[in-house]
Amino acid sequence: MTPPTAATPGSVDPSISRADRMPSATGPSGLGRLRRGPFRFALPAVAAAALMAGCTSGSDGAESAGSASSAPPASPPGPGGIPPAATPEPPKPKGQDDPALREFYTQQLAWEPCKDDPETTEKDEREFQCATLRVPLDYAAPAARSIEIAVMRHPAGKADARIGSLLTNPGGPGGSGVDWLKYAYARFDGGIHDRFDVVSFDPRGVGASTPVRCLDDAVRDRRNGDDGPDPADHAATKAHGEQLGKEFAAACQEKSGDLLQHVGTRNAARDMDVLRGVLGDAKLNYLGYSYGTYLGSLYTEEFPDRVGRLVLDGAVDPAQDPLEKSVNQQIGFEQSFTRFAKDCAARAGCPFGRDAEKAPKIASDFLDGLRTKPLRTNDSKRKLTSNLGWTGAINLLYGDEDKQWKWLREAFTYAMRDANGAALLYYADNYNGRDEKGKYDGSMDALPVIRCADMMAEAPTPERIQEMLAKLKKEAPLFSQNTVAEDFEGPGCEYWPFRTTEKPHTVKAPASNPVLVVGTTGDPATPYEASERLAAGLEHATLLTLEGEGHGAYGKGSDCIDDAVDAYLLEGALPPAGTRCT
């Protein structure tokens, strides 16, 4: 690949970046107040009192994690005032055993060659097959309305050795599995390609499936480039964030209506089981990255008897509350940013100078300084603001130290020495899902909508806020220099038209087959601790570790990781406990 320049940055592989994205400057598309440091995450303030009650639990009658009990009322007392023994209700059928869902599990997919994408020169998409799956909008009322799920597959290369289907999810939430498979399919060359139909899909609310829609392109451009008030002005920052949150929630409600409360991950897991059944697989074989590990985790909880061989790479810990997850992610990115800047200082020509201890602060101060001195770009209508500069830098921290860190060094060089922000703007646009024509792919609408369908409704306690704030200040001093306790107040999604019943909880899945969890020690987006905790929580899980940088491990260049994952998927052979790769 030609080295990137200010005019032609290196193309970012969607299978590497944007897999589990930090929200943009306006929180998750403006759901709450801005974080007061150089890069932001959504931890809104003041809770709104007028939110409607949450989602239903699904047609199979199983409660969502943390939902209220649906036990029948007590029977009247028998003779002598002694209540009769309660007769337990038989479990309601779920999934393919539910008669109300039979029409969805028995549908036939009309596969046809996919349309070739002229933007991808390495692959002819007509080699893939595309189809549309029908699923219920609401699993509690499956006959009421159905929605569409876009599906893509690449048939197994050796039909006589075919194992079945391998479903994949690239992360997000909001990531298109169909678009991802076009770029990422090369990582499956070899045994996986020979023996599996590799399948991906756009989850409900995303991409070519029935999508959520909120903001138009012009509004999205304005928000992404908005640095907001001075971060030291807490009152102005709060008011600005609240206004953005209200506008975003109203736009989503107007354009997406009743779709909003049904796009949560638990429903996506149910969709995935419908797809498994329609594909003819008795059990689900699955590879999920980042947010896709949360989708896979909930699948093991909903359908433990349908779990085949599951790989959860770059794990999200379902037991972490939103506050802890955001703080840990912020810490992870600061640590990765610091390692990048120090690595740069050891190289000739680094724009941060040669002092490794000073380099992170110099890089951070430069990006913060774009608030008052935005840079020109190759687009006469757009400048590189601080928010866009940080977004572009964060995007490349998802990758490894060999390729993406090289591109980030060059992007900083063009910005700091040539006063040209084109490269960082390119990487920011890639992260935000914006193409060269100014069209957004909708992923940044889907991200906060899905998170609000998944996020707990309770606000953190003052004690919890102080605990997390102290941790953030200690472990991410650069990124949290302007953060205050009130940034963490409120349950999140204050202006949303419903409240979810989902809560953080440990997924155990005692009845499932063994699961392989893969974690990377230098992962900024889903820090390694989350992989450790997910593997420890699951009753039948093995943790495979990559010692290195970047988000996600499989297919990223480690033969040790790839061989171990392939052996598990192809033969069911788990690596020895404690296996670590470099």
Side-chain angles (χ1 to χ4, degrees), residues 426-441:
Y426 172 89
Y427 297 124
D429 286 348
N430 170 268
Y431 182 97
N432 288 324
R434 185 188 193 274
D435 66 20
E436 294 178 355
K437 298 178 181 179
K439 180 71 176 176
Y440 286 86
D441 61 13

Side-chain angles (χ1 to χ4, degrees), residues 435-494:
D435 66 20
E436 294 178 355
K437 298 178 181 179
K439 180 71 176 176
Y440 286 86
D441 61 13
S443 60
M444 284 298 185
D445 282 345
L447 184 153
V449 171
I450 294 171
R451 280 187 170 164
C452 281
D454 287 343
M455 186 184 292
M456 65 184 256
E458 292 84 357
T461 65
E463 294 77 15
R464 179 67 167 163
I465 288 174
Q466 289 301 324
E467 175 191 0
M468 288 291 99
L469 180 61
K471 179 179 181 180
L472 182 64
K473 291 286 188 180
K474 178 181 179 181
E475 299 184 40
L478 284 178
F479 282 25
S480 66
Q481 57 187 323
N482 291 304
T483 305
V484 295
E486 65 178 338
D487 288 331
F488 296 163
E489 296 171 352
C493 306
E494 282 87 344

Side-chain angles (χ1 to χ4, degrees), residues 146-402:
S146 63
I147 58 176
E148 295 182 342
I149 303 297
V151 185
M152 174 186 276
R153 75 175 177 187
H154 197 293
K158 295 182 178 179
D160 57 341
R162 179 181 177 275
I163 294 173
S165 303
L166 175 65
L167 267 65
T168 60
N169 179 275
S176 167
V178 169
D179 287 346
W180 172 81
L181 191 58
K182 299 174 188 177
Y183 292 89
Y185 186 74
R187 71 182 57 186
F188 301 111
D189 285 348
I192 302 297
H193 164 80
D194 291 341
R195 302 189 63 192
F196 280 106
D197 296 340
V198 180
V199 179
S200 201
F201 61 99
D202 288 355
R204 55 173 57 211
V206 174
S209 296
T210 301
V212 293
R213 291 285 183 260
C214 299
L215 302 180
D216 62 33
D217 294 336
V219 173
R220 182 67 68 188
D221 258 353
R222 186 168 66 251
R223 287 185 173 223
N224 288 339
D226 178 19
D227 286 336
D230 184 337
D233 187 340
H234 302 317
T237 299
K238 173 182 176 180
H240 182 64
E242 288 177 349
Q243 181 62 30
L244 293 176
K246 292 175 182 177
E247 291 174 356
F248 182 79
C252 293
Q253 179 68 10
E254 177 184 357
K255 296 181 180 180
S256 298
D258 61 354
L259 182 61
L260 299 181
Q261 65 177 308
H262 297 295
V263 296
T265 303
R266 196 168 295 274
N267 279 332
R270 292 164 177 162
D271 296 342
M272 197 156 62
D273 193 62
V274 173
L275 180 55
R276 173 205 58 76
V278 170
L279 292 172
D281 295 314
K283 293 184 181 292
L284 178 76
N285 299 310
Y286 176 76
L287 169 63
Y289 292 95
S290 195
Y291 160 80
T293 69
Y294 182 57
L295 176 58
S297 296
L298 290 195
Y299 184 90
T300 68
E301 195 168 57
E302 288 281 310
F303 306 101
D305 59 327
R306 299 295 177 186
V307 173
R309 299 168 187 172
L310 263 66
V311 179
L312 307 179
D313 187 358
V316 172
D317 176 17
Q320 284 185 342
D321 61 43
L323 174 55
E324 182 180 12
K325 180 181 177 183
S326 293
V327 166
N328 286 348
Q329 190 179 67
Q330 196 84 339
I331 292 169
F333 272 104
E334 171 150 334
Q335 291 174 345
S336 183
F337 184 79
T338 298
R339 290 192 295 269
F340 155 74
K342 289 183 176 181
D343 177 82
C344 177
R347 301 171 184 270
C350 176
F352 315 141
R354 301 305 298 271
D355 189 328
E357 296 306 314
K358 293 180 180 180
K361 183 71 162 54
I362 291 172
S364 175
D365 286 348
F366 170 76
L367 293 176
D368 286 347
L370 295 173
R371 277 182 160 271
T372 55
K373 296 180 180 180
L375 291 183
R376 66 181 175 88
T377 68
N378 295 341
D379 184 338
S380 60
K381 298 180 180 180
R382 304 175 72 208
K383 290 189 175 182
L384 184 75
T385 62
S386 179
N387 179 50
L388 288 169
W390 273 106
T391 304
I394 291 292
N395 188 15
L396 289 177
L397 293 179
Y398 281 89
D400 61 39
E401 59 266 47
D402 294 328

